[in-house]
Amino acid sequence: MTRRSCGALRASDAGAAVELCGWVHRRRDHGGLIFVDLRDRDGLTQVVFDPQHAAFRDAEHLRSEDVLRVCGLVRERPQGTENAKLATGEVEVAVEELEILNRSLVPPFQVNVDENPDENLRLEYRYLDLRRQRMQRNLTVRHRIIKAMRDFFDERDFIEIETPLLIKGTPEGARDYLVPSRLYPGSFYALPQSPQLLKQICMIAGFGRYMQIARCLRDEDLRADRQPEFTQLDVEMSFCTQDEVLETMESCMRNVWKRVLDVELPAFPRMRFSDVVERYGTDKPDLRFELELSIVDDIFAQTEFVVFASAIAAGGAIVALRYPGGGALSRREFDALVEEAKLLGAKGMVWVALGAEGVKSSAQRFIEERHAQALAQRLRAERGDAILLFADAREAALAVAGKMRSEIGRRCGLRREDAFAFCWITDFPYLEIDAETGKPVPAHHPFTEPAEGEWELIERDPLRMRAQHYDMVLNGYELGSGSIRIHKPEQQRRIFEMLGMTAQQIDEQFGFFVRALDYGAPPHGGMALGIDRIAMLACGEDNLREVIAFPKTQTGRDLMMDAPSPASEKQLRELHLRPQPRV
Ligand code: ASP
């Protein structure tokens, strides 16, 4: 008698005596026999109970999700009853012995169907949800991705170094989670937003090549594609150029895709930040389809159309997007599209339809034949297409046109849904303006080295300074960022000063780090990639929670454990925290 998994048996096993353990996936009573599909992580096997065996009586009472051990003989299924959809579909096990290892209550949703039940219910009963084949597959793919990453870096002589969870904050632009210290009243540890400073210190410590599958925590307002805790592939290398980091990370991803999905990825195209924003309206372009934007100010240089003329006069831009086949839209459909553009943030949108009966436009009086012709030529539009125009401040016009590009890509089925379009974005600006405070903040983080030859801009025009910072993007998602780091202590201080920190603040927050740079820090650089997003895209899912075993809801709760939950007064006292009055 050998123990086999529920996905293992084939016709060649016929005649073998086997033991299977698993869950009741489905039970059917048929022509005096009872059939059970027994399930484990590996698959399903049909086991058959015959009234002649004592086990039959117990089998009559089996319910979904009961846990069984069965022993019996493998036999080929009678002709015509094979199931080609199942790997084990040629055989069944004739049960001679049944042990009911445990009973299950009636599950709050069906584990044995493919469609997703209500998400809150799934998260509350996550152990049942995770039993579903799709979730078992997703977590297995995730495991393989991480394994392939570890193997890849091991082969290239990187070592994995664990960094602590209780640290002093590392700024990545989000809010820290704080942990109050029992031993030091009024003091707090921060949970890492990333191991950034520790991996840099590993370089200063001479390890040369570091990687870690690292847990990171950021207390930010949750969006659909964020989780408060997440996992990243964190990498750092000494004595490297930007090209070497890019080559390493790109090879890693190519390797992962080959090993896990058996997909050969082409070389990742590289684009400069300023170019990519001009072409796609975003620094996270979805390159599964081509459609590019175009700035068409020159075409409307002499226009009397006040919307366009005033945008140009104010230093803004007119951005055009082709809508393949859009020329056939009715006026009402165009009106709806204008409303959609407004929801995406547009002040307005002008459409030009290159229809069968000539040019029509929402700004008919101002769109002359020569405009339509020049637009069509610039955008390579044909009769039957439409052209959408956005006039605003340059960045705003590009951004909204970029969002509309995604919408058009979706509507027109332009995206190759099963494609993986990776790319690199380089040459980011060093600073960006924080939407909330209006102050300049690093686009990446303050440990990033400015672009070669641009240090001197820090005195004259810091907003023009670019960074040795790069992002990897896949299908419109940013997978991660990295940079070449500052390794000279005086330069690191200079960046902190530029960001408005006093000598005392630098010392309090980053004294330990600048001191470490003082002791012979090597030139170094690295990157981090979000494993949750990578797994999500590799699995063809559109929600991070589908590839995380125990995720938080969109409002930051763990519904299964019911966390966060109040602490006892005793715990709070020990942590020197005053209980909040209950409301
Ligand atoms: N620490 C950065 C992040 O988490 C990545 C890096 O610069 O290596 O985004």
Side-chain angles (χ1 to χ4, degrees):
M1 178 89 50
T2 32
R3 163 88 59 84
R4 303 296 297 272
S5 80
C6 294
L9 298 175
R10 301 287 181 273
S12 56
D13 293 301
V18 297
E19 178 188 81
L20 301 178
C21 291
W23 285 262
V24 174
H25 188 66
R26 205 171 278 122
R27 198 199 79 184
R28 297 178 300 277
D29 296 9
H30 249 319
L33 299 172
I34 295 173
F35 294 87
V36 166
D37 288 338
L38 201 62
R39 184 192 70 235
D40 66 10
R41 194 178 95 200
D42 205 29
L44 294 175
T45 300
Q46 173 165 295
V47 303
V48 188
F49 296 87
D50 191 303
Q52 280 164 8
H53 283 102
F56 186 85
R57 284 228 316 281
D58 287 336
E60 283 184 308
H61 304 293
L62 289 177
R63 289 193 313 214
S64 286
E65 303 311 310
D66 285 344
V67 192
L68 314 184
R69 185 181 72 86
V70 299
C71 299
L73 282 183
V74 183
R75 66 183 184 212
E76 288 191 40
R77 291 197 197 184
Q79 249 193 351
T81 66
E82 299 94 342
N83 182 352
K85 284 198 211 121
L86 221 54
T88 62
E90 285 176 327
V91 294
E92 59 192 14
V93 172
V95 180
E96 286 168 3
E97 192 188 323
L98 163 67
E99 186 181 353
I100 300 174
L101 298 171
N102 213 346
R103 292 283 191 186
S104 169
L105 294 178
V106 176
F109 51 83
Q110 275 179 287
V111 174
N112 57 12
V113 293
D114 215 19
E115 73 248 22
N116 281 337
D118 171 68
E119 194 180 22
N120 283 352
L121 213 53
R122 291 176 62 198
L123 291 173
E124 185 179 346
Y125 294 90
R126 191 60 159 174
Y127 36 87
L128 294 176
D129 186 42
L130 290 175
R131 276 185 203 165
R132 296 164 61 233
Q133 278 163 335
R134 169 165 160 195
M135 296 305 284
Q136 300 249 321
R137 180 203 65 140
N138 286 358
L139 290 182
T140 307
V141 169
R142 182 186 174 110
H143 156 75
R144 298 231 162 88
I145 290 172
I146 293 176
K147 165 96 170 52
M149 288 172 170
R150 284 202 161 107
D151 289 348
F152 172 87
F153 282 102
D154 181 60
E155 281 154 25
R156 291 203 174 198
D157 227 18
F158 284 72
I159 64 169
E160 180 156 15
I161 300 176
E162 289 159 274
T163 52
L165 284 179
L166 297 175
I167 64 166
K168 197 177 168 86
T170 290
E172 293 281 359
R175 205 177 285 117
D176 280 332
Y177 277 104
L178 294 178
V179 180
S181 159
R182 182 174 58 81
L183 297 177
Y184 300 93
S187 288
F188 296 80
Y189 300 99
L191 300 177
Q193 290 188 33
S194 84
Q196 184 62 34
L197 293 179
L198 293 160
K199 70 175 171 177
Q200 290 192 240
I201 288 175
C202 285
M203 296 303 102
I204 302 174
F207 283 102
R209 295 179 154 225
Y210 146 100
M211 65 82 68
Q212 183 182 192
I213 303 297
R215 308 304 303 277
C216 305
L217 297 109
R218 297 181 192 177
D219 189 1
E220 51 195 349
D221 299 325
L222 303 176
R223 287 195 251 129
D225 61 348
R226 291 265 165 95
Q227 279 279 312
E229 50 181 313
F230 56 95
T231 310
Q232 66 184 27
L233 164 65
D234 202 40
V235 175
E236 199 72 11
M237 316 158 60
S238 293
F239 309 113
C240 61
T241 60
Q242 173 168 318
D243 268 355
E244 283 163 339
V245 181
L246 267 49
E247 188 281 324
T248 303
M249 301 309 288
E250 183 171 327
S251 298
C252 169
M253 294 312 285
R254 290 237 284 272
N255 212 275
V256 167
W257 248 246
K258 179 70 197 149
R259 285 195 209 177
V260 179
L261 303 176
D262 198 22
V263 168
E264 298 273 0
L265 294 173
F268 302 0
R270 294 184 188 182
M271 280 175 278
R272 280 197 293 268
F273 173 85
S274 53
D275 294 339
V276 78
V277 170
E278 211 170 293
R279 286 165 64 184
Y280 302 102
T282 170
D283 57 1
K284 300 183 256 298
D286 186 346
L287 299 183
R288 285 174 298 174
F289 62 104
E290 271 153 24
L291 212 61
E292 289 190 21
L293 311 178
S294 191
I295 295 182
V296 293
D297 297 4
D298 54 323
I299 296 178
F300 293 100
Q302 313 299 334
T303 185
E304 281 166 19
F305 186 31
V306 62
V307 176
F308 286 1
S310 61
I312 297 175
I318 303 164
V319 180
L321 167 69
R322 183 170 75 96
Y323 183 164
L329 261 60
S330 67
R331 211 158 256 281
R332 184 182 297 180
E333 284 168 321
F334 273 123
D335 287 346
L337 199 61
V338 172
E339 287 313 308
E340 211 168 319
K342 286 185 185 160
L343 287 178
L344 296 176
K347 281 198 185 138
M349 184 188 90
V350 169
W351 51 266
V352 180
L354 309 177
E357 306 98 53
V359 175
K360 288 210 183 83
S361 170
S362 54
Q364 193 78 29
R365 279 209 300 137
F366 304 102
I367 304 290
E368 296 162 25
E369 187 57 37
R370 64 185 173 98
H371 291 133
Q373 256 177 28
L375 285 171
Q377 199 177 15
R378 181 77 55 83
L379 295 172
R380 283 193 229 104
E382 291 165 6
R383 189 165 297 279
D385 290 347
I387 290 163
L388 310 179
L389 296 161
F390 304 87
D392 204 334
R394 191 186 139 94
E395 272 171 35
L398 283 167
V400 74
K403 288 183 192 156
M404 191 48 97
R405 172 184 179 268
S406 301
E407 172 58 18
I408 300 298
R410 191 189 61 77
R411 280 185 181 213
C412 301
L414 301 178
R415 299 187 307 214
R416 285 162 291 137
E417 292 296 340
D418 58 348
F420 296 105
F422 283 84
C423 64
W424 285 109
I425 314 299
T426 63
D427 297 84
F428 280 83
Y430 200 99
L431 295 169
E432 63 187 20
I433 302 297
D434 184 87
E436 263 172 42
T437 63
K439 288 205 180 120
V441 290
H444 189 32
H445 50 50
F447 316 108
T448 301
E449 176 94 18
E452 266 171 58
E454 295 196 1
W455 263 108
E456 45 108 21
L457 284 174
I458 204 169
E459 314 293 344
R460 286 196 288 120
D461 195 358
L463 280 170
R464 270 191 44 223
M465 190 163 79
R466 284 168 309 144
Q468 295 189 47
H469 156 201
Y470 32 83
D471 277 6
M472 188 191 284
V473 171
L474 167 58
N475 292 0
Y477 288 88
E478 176 192 320
L479 294 185
S481 310
S483 59
I484 296 299
R485 325 297 185 187
I486 296 166
H487 66 283
K488 302 261 197 215
E490 60 284 2
Q491 291 182 335
Q492 186 61 74
R493 280 200 198 89
R494 186 70 197 86
I495 292 285
F496 289 140
E497 281 161 15
M498 173 185 75
L499 298 172
M501 292 175 78
T502 63
Q504 194 190 345
Q505 286 169 329
I506 298 173
D507 198 49
E508 273 167 17
Q509 285 181 44
F510 300 112
F512 73 100
F513 178 65
V514 182
R515 197 170 321 121
L517 292 177
D518 265 324
Y519 286 89
H524 59 287
M527 177 159 209
L529 295 178
I531 288 184
D532 307 294
R533 278 193 198 166
I534 292 173
M536 175 180 92
L537 294 166
C539 289
E541 296 286 1
D542 55 14
N543 185 323
L544 291 172
R545 294 186 291 275
E546 303 299 333
V547 294
I548 299 176
F550 303 106
K552 304 281 183 290
T553 61
Q554 202 129 30
T555 51
R557 295 197 66 81
D558 183 314
L559 293 180
M560 183 183 72
M561 292 194 279
D562 192 23
S565 52
S568 72
E569 287 201 13
K570 176 165 174 289
Q571 285 171 313
L572 292 177
R573 234 179 292 118
E574 282 173 351
L575 293 170
H576 319 282
L577 297 174
R578 238 171 285 125
Q580 287 280 328
R582 290 274 159 81
V583 272

